[in-house]
Amino acid sequence: MCGIVGYIGPKNAVAVLMDGLKRLEYRGYDSSGIAIVEDGKVELRRSVGKLERLEAVVAKRPLSGHIGIGHTRWATHGRPSEENAHPHLEGGVAVVHNGIIENYLALKEGLIKEGARFKSETDTEVISHLIHRETKKGATLKEAVKAAVRIIKGTYALAAVSEHEPDRIIAARMECPLIVGAGEKETVLSSDITAVLGITRKAVFLNDGEIVTITKDSFEIEDFAGNKISRAPRHIDWSPIMAEKGGYRHFMLKEIFEQPRVVADTFRGSVIEEKGEVFLNKFNIDLKRARRIYIIACGTSWHAGLVGKFLIEEFYRVPAEVDLASEFRYRDPLVDDKTLVIAISQSGETADTLAAVREAKRRGAQVIAICNVMESSLTREADWSFMTHAGPEIGVASTKAFTTQLTALYLLAVYLGRTAGRLGAAEGKTLIHELVTLPGKLEKALDGAAHIETLAKKYFQFRDFIYLGRGINYPIALEGALKLKEISYIHAEGYAAGEMKHGPIALIDEDMPVVMLAPKDSSYAKMLGNMEEVKARGGRVMVIVNEGDTEASARADDAIFVPNASVHLMPVIMSVPLQFLAYHIAVLKGTDVDQPRNLAKSVTVE
Ligand code: AGP
């Protein structure tokens, strides 16, 4: 978690860094800070809490300069406080860090014995002292950073700026993202593409074990051993406007409304409708070595994986297991060189997912990534990457990334089924035709926004919710409950509707609204039965049904109608009203929709 940013160039670094931090704030918002070289001295401004608090601090005590670094923090070591906020300053060198220094306690002890005085509880401060120890002996900033990275163990993207060398920033990467934006006479450094876009669309992605020196008109990369590395910048497809709110009150709302387009962007270019085929460029999976499938992911991406299991098993007819990445890695999973692993992650930086992928690769598995961020760590680890085209997702609660993941899984399942000959051309054609009609149906599902806002007014004061779904829509019940929890802080649980009678039914009373997903599929009759059971116990039912439904909607207290789609694509359609419901309830409760408490968009700690 945490976001780091750096700038050197003709503009006022303060403004560039604050803008960059705004774009990185989704990575953590416990505290933030900047360090600027002003009149030959490194000056710090730091504040606990969200970025607006730092803005107030800077407004009160303005700064200006053409070089600086900044940080937005998701606390790991040490509570959110000003002392623990980055940058950390020692001997005229300021340091920002994203990641965790695992051996910091031993290093700290040693440094204290040598006379170092620590001002914070963070692991990062050892880096400052290690750098200072070297510069005191006459080392340049780069040499000092190099010496520090040889000693520290753990994960990091770090950047350092010194008042003794005010024309450069030195940064290093180990398992945390770090990007250099090469502008015209200005260079920017960031944890993520979105904070580079304001300056340039030419970016260089650092690899693990690399150090970069940036000046206003150059960047030089070398490995920790000092070998020079030449790497040309890549053009970034994302435009700065994609990372703006575009007139919406929240990013989340904008991102919900973007779904028809981004879903289409995700399948466009990969489908040949007339042949009933999915074309995945450069995918040369050895299907003989794909006798078992493991899908691994976290959070919302894991919910997408649960839907993916249904699709893959039906189209490819190979058993698929879905595992939480954080669990997979700590047991002894039955993964070998006959296993195909599908790792799903919006950010491509989720530590648990990355660790699980590494473990799977160690055991010989082939790995496909489904990911939204180009050049992210996951896409580098995987053998093949299927990129979703959701564009930057800024709202911490995932919406469009989820529905594009569902789209990608659908395509992958059809691809595997067709390639293995288990789906014929005619079936492929039908499946692809259904997908091609999906964006239009999503547009219609978005029309329900106003009705759902009205329903939210009726339901927002309840303290607990149950979400029920069956079959391929059971994961959507889990996802609906997660969305509500994340942004409204209301307790919500998702269950497979058939499980209700095995326990959760004891919770049902008039204070426990039950959101039921009841599309007209083979489990519709069973869902009607579940509704009766809830109603018989005085429960309130909000049902999501297909247009034209008369039975379930008549039994429910409230109904939301969505367009009909094939059973395999109903999860995508069903997601939309649940996103709106969570969104409008959260707005009514007055929570911070885009940056809910305690969360960070990219969870880079295990
Ligand atoms: C989604 O709303 C969440 N904030 C969270 O569960 C997220 O899906 C999870 O942390 C995984 O992230 P990833 O897709 O970037 O790996």
Side-chain angles (χ1 to χ4, degrees), residues 297-303 344-351 353 370 378 393 395-399 401 405 479 482-483 486 596 599-603:
C298 301
T300 287
S301 299
W302 178 69
H303 296 154
I344 312 170
S345 172
Q346 186 284 130
S347 61
E349 301 296 345
T350 300
T353 307
I370 293 181
L378 179 61
E393 189 179 67
V396 165
S398 187
T399 52
Q405 287 167 348
E479 173 61 8
L482 178 66
K483 286 288 89 85
E486 280 187 300
L599 292 174
K601 181 89 184 149
S602 184
V603 185

PDB file of all heavy atoms in Angstrom, residues 297-303 344-351 353 370 378 393 395-399 401 405 479 482-483 486 596 599-603, ligand 1:
ATOM      1  N   ALA A 297      -7.136 -15.431  -6.200  1.00  0.00           N
ATOM      2  CA  ALA A 297      -7.385 -13.986  -6.167  1.00  0.00           C
ATOM      3  C   ALA A 297      -7.797 -13.594  -4.750  1.00  0.00           C
ATOM      4  O   ALA A 297      -7.922 -14.447  -3.870  1.00  0.00           O
ATOM      5  CB  ALA A 297      -8.499 -13.635  -7.153  1.00  0.00           C
ATOM      6  N   CYS A 298      -8.024 -12.309  -4.560  1.00  0.00           N
ATOM      7  CA  CYS A 298      -8.474 -11.793  -3.265  1.00  0.00           C
ATOM      8  C   CYS A 298      -9.701 -10.910  -3.472  1.00  0.00           C
ATOM      9  O   CYS A 298      -9.854 -10.289  -4.531  1.00  0.00           O
ATOM     10  CB  CYS A 298      -7.415 -10.914  -2.616  1.00  0.00           C
ATOM     11  SG  CYS A 298      -5.872 -11.752  -2.331  1.00  0.00           S
ATOM     12  N   GLY A 299     -10.520 -10.813  -2.425  1.00  0.00           N
ATOM     13  CA  GLY A 299     -11.625  -9.852  -2.398  1.00  0.00           C
ATOM     14  C   GLY A 299     -12.557  -9.991  -3.586  1.00  0.00           C
ATOM     15  O   GLY A 299     -12.989 -11.085  -3.962  1.00  0.00           O
ATOM     16  N   THR A 300     -12.834  -8.856  -4.190  1.00  0.00           N
ATOM     17  CA  THR A 300     -13.749  -8.825  -5.332  1.00  0.00           C
ATOM     18  C   THR A 300     -13.233  -9.699  -6.478  1.00  0.00           C
ATOM     19  O   THR A 300     -14.010 -10.379  -7.154  1.00  0.00           O
ATOM     20  CB  THR A 300     -13.926  -7.358  -5.782  1.00  0.00           C
ATOM     21  OG1 THR A 300     -14.734  -6.709  -4.809  1.00  0.00           O
ATOM     22  CG2 THR A 300     -14.572  -7.239  -7.134  1.00  0.00           C
ATOM     23  N   SER A 301     -11.934  -9.696  -6.675  1.00  0.00           N
ATOM     24  CA  SER A 301     -11.370 -10.513  -7.758  1.00  0.00           C
ATOM     25  C   SER A 301     -11.612 -12.001  -7.485  1.00  0.00           C
ATOM     26  O   SER A 301     -11.811 -12.795  -8.405  1.00  0.00           O
ATOM     27  CB  SER A 301      -9.870 -10.243  -7.898  1.00  0.00           C
ATOM     28  OG  SER A 301      -9.669  -8.891  -8.222  1.00  0.00           O
ATOM     29  N   TRP A 302     -11.632 -12.359  -6.220  1.00  0.00           N
ATOM     30  CA  TRP A 302     -11.946 -13.755  -5.848  1.00  0.00           C
ATOM     31  C   TRP A 302     -13.404 -14.069  -6.197  1.00  0.00           C
ATOM     32  O   TRP A 302     -13.726 -15.143  -6.687  1.00  0.00           O
ATOM     33  CB  TRP A 302     -11.672 -13.942  -4.350  1.00  0.00           C
ATOM     34  CG  TRP A 302     -11.980 -15.303  -3.822  1.00  0.00           C
ATOM     35  CD1 TRP A 302     -11.318 -16.464  -4.103  1.00  0.00           C
ATOM     36  CD2 TRP A 302     -13.028 -15.649  -2.912  1.00  0.00           C
ATOM     37  NE1 TRP A 302     -11.900 -17.502  -3.420  1.00  0.00           N
ATOM     38  CE2 TRP A 302     -12.939 -17.035  -2.684  1.00  0.00           C
ATOM     39  CE3 TRP A 302     -14.032 -14.925  -2.266  1.00  0.00           C
ATOM     40  CZ2 TRP A 302     -13.816 -17.717  -1.837  1.00  0.00           C
ATOM     41  CZ3 TRP A 302     -14.907 -15.595  -1.417  1.00  0.00           C
ATOM     42  CH2 TRP A 302     -14.802 -16.968  -1.215  1.00  0.00           C
ATOM     43  N   HIS A 303     -14.277 -13.099  -5.971  1.00  0.00           N
ATOM     44  CA  HIS A 303     -15.683 -13.319  -6.362  1.00  0.00           C
ATOM     45  C   HIS A 303     -15.791 -13.543  -7.862  1.00  0.00           C
ATOM     46  O   HIS A 303     -16.559 -14.387  -8.324  1.00  0.00           O
ATOM     47  CB  HIS A 303     -16.564 -12.128  -5.942  1.00  0.00           C
ATOM     48  CG  HIS A 303     -16.637 -11.952  -4.451  1.00  0.00           C
ATOM     49  ND1 HIS A 303     -16.886 -10.740  -3.844  1.00  0.00           N
ATOM     50  CD2 HIS A 303     -16.481 -12.847  -3.445  1.00  0.00           C
ATOM     51  CE1 HIS A 303     -16.880 -10.906  -2.530  1.00  0.00           C
ATOM     52  NE2 HIS A 303     -16.635 -12.171  -2.268  1.00  0.00           N
ATOM     53  N   ILE A 344      -6.237 -13.587 -10.688  1.00  0.00           N
ATOM     54  CA  ILE A 344      -7.030 -12.410 -11.056  1.00  0.00           C
ATOM     55  C   ILE A 344      -6.710 -11.266 -10.104  1.00  0.00           C
ATOM     56  O   ILE A 344      -6.742 -11.433  -8.883  1.00  0.00           O
ATOM     57  CB  ILE A 344      -8.548 -12.720 -10.969  1.00  0.00           C
ATOM     58  CG1 ILE A 344      -8.866 -14.036 -11.689  1.00  0.00           C
ATOM     59  CG2 ILE A 344      -9.375 -11.582 -11.554  1.00  0.00           C
ATOM     60  CD1 ILE A 344     -10.278 -14.520 -11.441  1.00  0.00           C
ATOM     61  N   SER A 345      -6.427 -10.110 -10.675  1.00  0.00           N
ATOM     62  CA  SER A 345      -6.153  -8.943  -9.826  1.00  0.00           C
ATOM     63  C   SER A 345      -6.334  -7.666 -10.638  1.00  0.00           C
ATOM     64  O   SER A 345      -5.774  -7.545 -11.725  1.00  0.00           O
ATOM     65  CB  SER A 345      -4.714  -9.009  -9.300  1.00  0.00           C
ATOM     66  OG  SER A 345      -4.380  -7.816  -8.639  1.00  0.00           O
ATOM     67  N   GLN A 346      -7.126  -6.763 -10.125  1.00  0.00           N
ATOM     68  CA  GLN A 346      -7.273  -5.472 -10.788  1.00  0.00           C
ATOM     69  C   GLN A 346      -5.922  -4.782 -10.854  1.00  0.00           C
ATOM     70  O   GLN A 346      -5.453  -4.388 -11.911  1.00  0.00           O
ATOM     71  CB  GLN A 346      -8.283  -4.605 -10.003  1.00  0.00           C
ATOM     72  CG  GLN A 346      -8.660  -3.276 -10.630  1.00  0.00           C
ATOM     73  CD  GLN A 346      -7.604  -2.178 -10.510  1.00  0.00           C
ATOM     74  OE1 GLN A 346      -7.255  -1.536 -11.509  1.00  0.00           O
ATOM     75  NE2 GLN A 346      -7.056  -1.964  -9.338  1.00  0.00           N
ATOM     76  N   SER A 347      -5.295  -4.632  -9.688  1.00  0.00           N
ATOM     77  CA  SER A 347      -4.071  -3.825  -9.596  1.00  0.00           C
ATOM     78  C   SER A 347      -2.840  -4.556 -10.118  1.00  0.00           C
ATOM     79  O   SER A 347      -1.890  -3.925 -10.566  1.00  0.00           O
ATOM     80  CB  SER A 347      -3.818  -3.456  -8.135  1.00  0.00           C
ATOM     81  OG  SER A 347      -3.646  -4.650  -7.374  1.00  0.00           O
ATOM     82  N   GLY A 348      -2.850  -5.872  -9.986  1.00  0.00           N
ATOM     83  CA  GLY A 348      -1.649  -6.635 -10.323  1.00  0.00           C
ATOM     84  C   GLY A 348      -0.558  -6.475  -9.278  1.00  0.00           C
ATOM     85  O   GLY A 348       0.581  -6.891  -9.492  1.00  0.00           O
ATOM     86  N   GLU A 349      -0.886  -5.879  -8.135  1.00  0.00           N
ATOM     87  CA  GLU A 349       0.125  -5.642  -7.101  1.00  0.00           C
ATOM     88  C   GLU A 349      -0.265  -6.259  -5.769  1.00  0.00           C
ATOM     89  O   GLU A 349       0.416  -6.025  -4.762  1.00  0.00           O
ATOM     90  CB  GLU A 349       0.357  -4.135  -6.899  1.00  0.00           C
ATOM     91  CG  GLU A 349       0.809  -3.377  -8.132  1.00  0.00           C
ATOM     92  CD  GLU A 349       2.176  -3.811  -8.663  1.00  0.00           C
ATOM     93  OE1 GLU A 349       2.924  -4.495  -7.950  1.00  0.00           O
ATOM     94  OE2 GLU A 349       2.469  -3.475  -9.831  1.00  0.00           O
ATOM     95  N   THR A 350      -1.362  -6.999  -5.711  1.00  0.00           N
ATOM     96  CA  THR A 350      -1.812  -7.568  -4.439  1.00  0.00           C
ATOM     97  C   THR A 350      -0.800  -8.608  -3.955  1.00  0.00           C
ATOM     98  O   THR A 350      -0.558  -9.611  -4.635  1.00  0.00           O
ATOM     99  CB  THR A 350      -3.215  -8.178  -4.628  1.00  0.00           C
ATOM    100  OG1 THR A 350      -4.073  -7.124  -5.037  1.00  0.00           O
ATOM    101  CG2 THR A 350      -3.743  -8.804  -3.358  1.00  0.00           C
ATOM    102  N   ALA A 351      -0.237  -8.352  -2.786  1.00  0.00           N
ATOM    103  CA  ALA A 351       0.880  -9.181  -2.311  1.00  0.00           C
ATOM    104  C   ALA A 351       0.482 -10.650  -2.182  1.00  0.00           C
ATOM    105  O   ALA A 351       1.245 -11.543  -2.556  1.00  0.00           O
ATOM    106  CB  ALA A 351       1.380  -8.640  -0.982  1.00  0.00           C
ATOM    107  N   THR A 353      -1.757 -12.343  -3.793  1.00  0.00           N
ATOM    108  CA  THR A 353      -1.923 -12.974  -5.110  1.00  0.00           C
ATOM    109  C   THR A 353      -0.557 -13.212  -5.748  1.00  0.00           C
ATOM    110  O   THR A 353      -0.300 -14.275  -6.320  1.00  0.00           O
ATOM    111  CB  THR A 353      -2.820 -12.080  -6.001  1.00  0.00           C
ATOM    112  OG1 THR A 353      -4.016 -11.806  -5.278  1.00  0.00           O
ATOM    113  CG2 THR A 353      -3.169 -12.765  -7.313  1.00  0.00           C
ATOM    114  N   ILE A 370      -5.223 -12.354 -15.118  1.00  0.00           N
ATOM    115  CA  ILE A 370      -6.284 -11.465 -15.604  1.00  0.00           C
ATOM    116  C   ILE A 370      -6.087 -10.181 -14.808  1.00  0.00           C
ATOM    117  O   ILE A 370      -6.206 -10.180 -13.580  1.00  0.00           O
ATOM    118  CB  ILE A 370      -7.682 -12.067 -15.392  1.00  0.00           C
ATOM    119  CG1 ILE A 370      -7.838 -13.297 -16.284  1.00  0.00           C
ATOM    120  CG2 ILE A 370      -8.780 -11.028 -15.679  1.00  0.00           C
ATOM    121  CD1 ILE A 370      -9.175 -13.985 -16.191  1.00  0.00           C
ATOM    122  N   LEU A 378       2.065  -8.525 -11.396  1.00  0.00           N
ATOM    123  CA  LEU A 378       1.424  -9.793 -11.766  1.00  0.00           C
ATOM    124  C   LEU A 378       1.646 -10.111 -13.241  1.00  0.00           C
ATOM    125  O   LEU A 378       1.943 -11.254 -13.599  1.00  0.00           O
ATOM    126  CB  LEU A 378      -0.080  -9.736 -11.449  1.00  0.00           C
ATOM    127  CG  LEU A 378      -0.863 -11.001 -11.806  1.00  0.00           C
ATOM    128  CD1 LEU A 378      -0.351 -12.218 -11.028  1.00  0.00           C
ATOM    129  CD2 LEU A 378      -2.353 -10.825 -11.539  1.00  0.00           C
ATOM    130  N   GLU A 393      -9.147   2.492 -12.296  1.00  0.00           N
ATOM    131  CA  GLU A 393     -10.250   2.400 -11.321  1.00  0.00           C
ATOM    132  C   GLU A 393      -9.751   3.077 -10.051  1.00  0.00           C
ATOM    133  O   GLU A 393      -8.828   2.600  -9.400  1.00  0.00           O
ATOM    134  CB  GLU A 393     -10.632   0.947 -11.062  1.00  0.00           C
ATOM    135  CG  GLU A 393     -11.900   0.848 -10.224  1.00  0.00           C
ATOM    136  CD  GLU A 393     -12.318  -0.593  -9.964  1.00  0.00           C
ATOM    137  OE1 GLU A 393     -11.589  -1.303  -9.251  1.00  0.00           O
ATOM    138  OE2 GLU A 393     -13.373  -1.009 -10.463  1.00  0.00           O
ATOM    139  N   GLY A 395     -11.982   4.527  -7.447  1.00  0.00           N
ATOM    140  CA  GLY A 395     -12.801   4.192  -6.271  1.00  0.00           C
ATOM    141  C   GLY A 395     -12.211   2.944  -5.630  1.00  0.00           C
ATOM    142  O   GLY A 395     -11.879   1.980  -6.330  1.00  0.00           O
ATOM    143  N   VAL A 396     -12.068   2.972  -4.320  1.00  0.00           N
ATOM    144  CA  VAL A 396     -11.468   1.813  -3.645  1.00  0.00           C
ATOM    145  C   VAL A 396     -12.361   0.578  -3.815  1.00  0.00           C
ATOM    146  O   VAL A 396     -11.877  -0.542  -3.964  1.00  0.00           O
ATOM    147  CB  VAL A 396     -11.185   2.154  -2.163  1.00  0.00           C
ATOM    148  CG1 VAL A 396     -10.920   0.910  -1.350  1.00  0.00           C
ATOM    149  CG2 VAL A 396      -9.979   3.093  -2.079  1.00  0.00           C
ATOM    150  N   ALA A 397     -13.672   0.792  -3.804  1.00  0.00           N
ATOM    151  CA  ALA A 397     -14.587  -0.337  -4.026  1.00  0.00           C
ATOM    152  C   ALA A 397     -14.623  -0.646  -5.521  1.00  0.00           C
ATOM    153  O   ALA A 397     -14.960   0.196  -6.348  1.00  0.00           O
ATOM    154  CB  ALA A 397     -15.969   0.016  -3.523  1.00  0.00           C
ATOM    155  N   SER A 398     -14.275  -1.849  -5.823  1.00  0.00           N
ATOM    156  CA  SER A 398     -14.144  -2.243  -7.230  1.00  0.00           C
ATOM    157  C   SER A 398     -15.522  -2.431  -7.877  1.00  0.00           C
ATOM    158  O   SER A 398     -16.403  -3.072  -7.304  1.00  0.00           O
ATOM    159  CB  SER A 398     -13.358  -3.552  -7.281  1.00  0.00           C
ATOM    160  OG  SER A 398     -13.082  -3.884  -8.601  1.00  0.00           O
ATOM    161  N   THR A 399     -15.704  -1.870  -9.054  1.00  0.00           N
ATOM    162  CA  THR A 399     -16.980  -2.036  -9.784  1.00  0.00           C
ATOM    163  C   THR A 399     -16.680  -2.466 -11.216  1.00  0.00           C
ATOM    164  O   THR A 399     -16.843  -3.615 -11.575  1.00  0.00           O
ATOM    165  CB  THR A 399     -17.796  -0.726  -9.773  1.00  0.00           C
ATOM    166  OG1 THR A 399     -16.953   0.352 -10.231  1.00  0.00           O
ATOM    167  CG2 THR A 399     -18.336  -0.413  -8.397  1.00  0.00           C
ATOM    168  N   ALA A 401     -13.877  -2.874 -12.657  1.00  0.00           N
ATOM    169  CA  ALA A 401     -12.816  -3.885 -12.770  1.00  0.00           C
ATOM    170  C   ALA A 401     -13.441  -5.268 -12.619  1.00  0.00           C
ATOM    171  O   ALA A 401     -13.064  -6.214 -13.313  1.00  0.00           O
ATOM    172  CB  ALA A 401     -11.743  -3.661 -11.718  1.00  0.00           C
ATOM    173  N   GLN A 405     -13.509  -8.240 -15.306  1.00  0.00           N
ATOM    174  CA  GLN A 405     -12.910  -9.547 -14.969  1.00  0.00           C
ATOM    175  C   GLN A 405     -13.870 -10.676 -15.348  1.00  0.00           C
ATOM    176  O   GLN A 405     -13.463 -11.718 -15.876  1.00  0.00           O
ATOM    177  CB  GLN A 405     -12.613  -9.627 -13.466  1.00  0.00           C
ATOM    178  CG  GLN A 405     -11.424  -8.786 -13.035  1.00  0.00           C
ATOM    179  CD  GLN A 405     -11.328  -8.628 -11.529  1.00  0.00           C
ATOM    180  OE1 GLN A 405     -12.257  -8.948 -10.778  1.00  0.00           O
ATOM    181  NE2 GLN A 405     -10.202  -8.124 -11.054  1.00  0.00           N
ATOM    182  N   GLU A 479     -20.493 -10.602  -3.511  1.00  0.00           N
ATOM    183  CA  GLU A 479     -19.936  -9.329  -3.966  1.00  0.00           C
ATOM    184  C   GLU A 479     -20.838  -8.164  -3.549  1.00  0.00           C
ATOM    185  O   GLU A 479     -20.357  -7.110  -3.125  1.00  0.00           O
ATOM    186  CB  GLU A 479     -19.734  -9.380  -5.491  1.00  0.00           C
ATOM    187  CG  GLU A 479     -19.305  -8.082  -6.149  1.00  0.00           C
ATOM    188  CD  GLU A 479     -17.974  -7.519  -5.674  1.00  0.00           C
ATOM    189  OE1 GLU A 479     -17.252  -8.186  -4.928  1.00  0.00           O
ATOM    190  OE2 GLU A 479     -17.679  -6.365  -6.030  1.00  0.00           O
ATOM    191  N   LEU A 482     -20.217  -7.519   0.035  1.00  0.00           N
ATOM    192  CA  LEU A 482     -18.904  -6.873   0.237  1.00  0.00           C
ATOM    193  C   LEU A 482     -18.969  -5.388  -0.118  1.00  0.00           C
ATOM    194  O   LEU A 482     -18.443  -4.536   0.608  1.00  0.00           O
ATOM    195  CB  LEU A 482     -17.828  -7.575  -0.605  1.00  0.00           C
ATOM    196  CG  LEU A 482     -16.425  -6.957  -0.526  1.00  0.00           C
ATOM    197  CD1 LEU A 482     -15.828  -7.091   0.868  1.00  0.00           C
ATOM    198  CD2 LEU A 482     -15.479  -7.582  -1.547  1.00  0.00           C
ATOM    199  N   LYS A 483     -19.653  -5.073  -1.231  1.00  0.00           N
ATOM    200  CA  LYS A 483     -19.752  -3.660  -1.636  1.00  0.00           C
ATOM    201  C   LYS A 483     -20.414  -2.851  -0.525  1.00  0.00           C
ATOM    202  O   LYS A 483     -19.957  -1.769  -0.176  1.00  0.00           O
ATOM    203  CB  LYS A 483     -20.577  -3.481  -2.922  1.00  0.00           C
ATOM    204  CG  LYS A 483     -19.931  -3.890  -4.206  1.00  0.00           C
ATOM    205  CD  LYS A 483     -18.824  -2.969  -4.677  1.00  0.00           C
ATOM    206  CE  LYS A 483     -17.491  -3.345  -4.126  1.00  0.00           C
ATOM    207  NZ  LYS A 483     -16.713  -4.335  -4.771  1.00  0.00           N
ATOM    208  N   GLU A 486     -18.059  -2.493   2.550  1.00  0.00           N
ATOM    209  CA  GLU A 486     -16.885  -1.647   2.306  1.00  0.00           C
ATOM    210  C   GLU A 486     -17.189  -0.165   2.372  1.00  0.00           C
ATOM    211  O   GLU A 486     -16.442   0.595   2.949  1.00  0.00           O
ATOM    212  CB  GLU A 486     -16.334  -1.910   0.891  1.00  0.00           C
ATOM    213  CG  GLU A 486     -15.487  -3.114   0.744  1.00  0.00           C
ATOM    214  CD  GLU A 486     -14.865  -3.170  -0.650  1.00  0.00           C
ATOM    215  OE1 GLU A 486     -15.610  -3.206  -1.637  1.00  0.00           O
ATOM    216  OE2 GLU A 486     -13.632  -3.177  -0.741  1.00  0.00           O
ATOM    217  N   PRO A 596     -13.113   4.570   1.531  1.00  0.00           N
ATOM    218  CA  PRO A 596     -13.672   4.127   2.805  1.00  0.00           C
ATOM    219  C   PRO A 596     -12.582   3.865   3.848  1.00  0.00           C
ATOM    220  O   PRO A 596     -11.438   3.554   3.495  1.00  0.00           O
ATOM    221  CB  PRO A 596     -14.403   2.836   2.441  1.00  0.00           C
ATOM    222  CG  PRO A 596     -14.014   2.484   1.064  1.00  0.00           C
ATOM    223  CD  PRO A 596     -13.408   3.673   0.418  1.00  0.00           C
ATOM    224  N   LEU A 599      -9.317   1.045   4.439  1.00  0.00           N
ATOM    225  CA  LEU A 599      -9.025   0.285   3.227  1.00  0.00           C
ATOM    226  C   LEU A 599      -7.979   0.981   2.372  1.00  0.00           C
ATOM    227  O   LEU A 599      -7.728   2.174   2.526  1.00  0.00           O
ATOM    228  CB  LEU A 599     -10.287   0.105   2.388  1.00  0.00           C
ATOM    229  CG  LEU A 599     -11.368  -0.789   2.982  1.00  0.00           C
ATOM    230  CD1 LEU A 599     -12.600  -0.764   2.111  1.00  0.00           C
ATOM    231  CD2 LEU A 599     -10.853  -2.202   3.120  1.00  0.00           C
ATOM    232  N   ALA A 600      -7.398   0.227   1.471  1.00  0.00           N
ATOM    233  CA  ALA A 600      -6.540   0.796   0.433  1.00  0.00           C
ATOM    234  C   ALA A 600      -6.830   0.015  -0.831  1.00  0.00           C
ATOM    235  O   ALA A 600      -7.205  -1.151  -0.777  1.00  0.00           O
ATOM    236  CB  ALA A 600      -5.083   0.672   0.811  1.00  0.00           C
ATOM    237  N   LYS A 601      -6.665   0.674  -1.935  1.00  0.00           N
ATOM    238  CA  LYS A 601      -7.017   0.034  -3.204  1.00  0.00           C
ATOM    239  C   LYS A 601      -6.077  -1.117  -3.532  1.00  0.00           C
ATOM    240  O   LYS A 601      -6.489  -2.147  -4.033  1.00  0.00           O
ATOM    241  CB  LYS A 601      -6.947   1.100  -4.303  1.00  0.00           C
ATOM    242  CG  LYS A 601      -7.312   0.610  -5.677  1.00  0.00           C
ATOM    243  CD  LYS A 601      -8.790   0.740  -5.911  1.00  0.00           C
ATOM    244  CE  LYS A 601      -9.223   0.181  -7.235  1.00  0.00           C
ATOM    245  NZ  LYS A 601     -10.581  -0.346  -7.149  1.00  0.00           N
ATOM    246  N   SER A 602      -4.831  -0.900  -3.275  1.00  0.00           N
ATOM    247  CA  SER A 602      -3.843  -1.876  -3.690  1.00  0.00           C
ATOM    248  C   SER A 602      -3.190  -2.426  -2.429  1.00  0.00           C
ATOM    249  O   SER A 602      -2.483  -1.701  -1.730  1.00  0.00           O
ATOM    250  CB  SER A 602      -2.833  -1.137  -4.569  1.00  0.00           C
ATOM    251  OG  SER A 602      -1.908  -2.005  -5.077  1.00  0.00           O
ATOM    252  N   VAL A 603      -3.452  -3.701  -2.118  1.00  0.00           N
ATOM    253  CA  VAL A 603      -3.016  -4.235  -0.825  1.00  0.00           C
ATOM    254  C   VAL A 603      -1.683  -4.958  -1.016  1.00  0.00           C
ATOM    255  O   VAL A 603      -1.642  -6.147  -1.334  1.00  0.00           O
ATOM    256  CB  VAL A 603      -4.096  -5.156  -0.216  1.00  0.00           C
ATOM    257  CG1 VAL A 603      -3.688  -5.610   1.178  1.00  0.00           C
ATOM    258  CG2 VAL A 603      -5.426  -4.412  -0.142  1.00  0.00           C
TER     259      VAL A 603
HETATM  260  C1  AGP B   1     -12.860  -4.521  -3.802  1.00  0.00           C
HETATM  261  O1  AGP B   1     -13.949  -3.682  -3.693  1.00  0.00           O
HETATM  262  C2  AGP B   1     -11.880  -4.449  -2.756  1.00  0.00           C
HETATM  263  N1  AGP B   1     -11.520  -3.166  -2.364  1.00  0.00           N
HETATM  264  C3  AGP B   1     -10.870  -5.540  -2.604  1.00  0.00           C
HETATM  265  O2  AGP B   1     -11.556  -6.653  -2.130  1.00  0.00           O
HETATM  266  C4  AGP B   1     -10.030  -5.945  -3.835  1.00  0.00           C
HETATM  267  O3  AGP B   1     -10.843  -6.578  -4.775  1.00  0.00           O
HETATM  268  C5  AGP B   1      -8.897  -6.872  -3.391  1.00  0.00           C
HETATM  269  O4  AGP B   1      -8.058  -6.183  -2.504  1.00  0.00           O
HETATM  270  C6  AGP B   1      -8.104  -7.411  -4.540  1.00  0.00           C
HETATM  271  O5  AGP B   1      -7.471  -6.407  -5.268  1.00  0.00           O
HETATM  272  P1  AGP B   1      -6.844  -6.696  -6.675  1.00  0.00           P
HETATM  273  O6  AGP B   1      -7.960  -7.076  -7.597  1.00  0.00           O
HETATM  274  O7  AGP B   1      -6.182  -5.428  -7.079  1.00  0.00           O
HETATM  275  O8  AGP B   1      -5.889  -7.821  -6.508  1.00  0.00           O
END
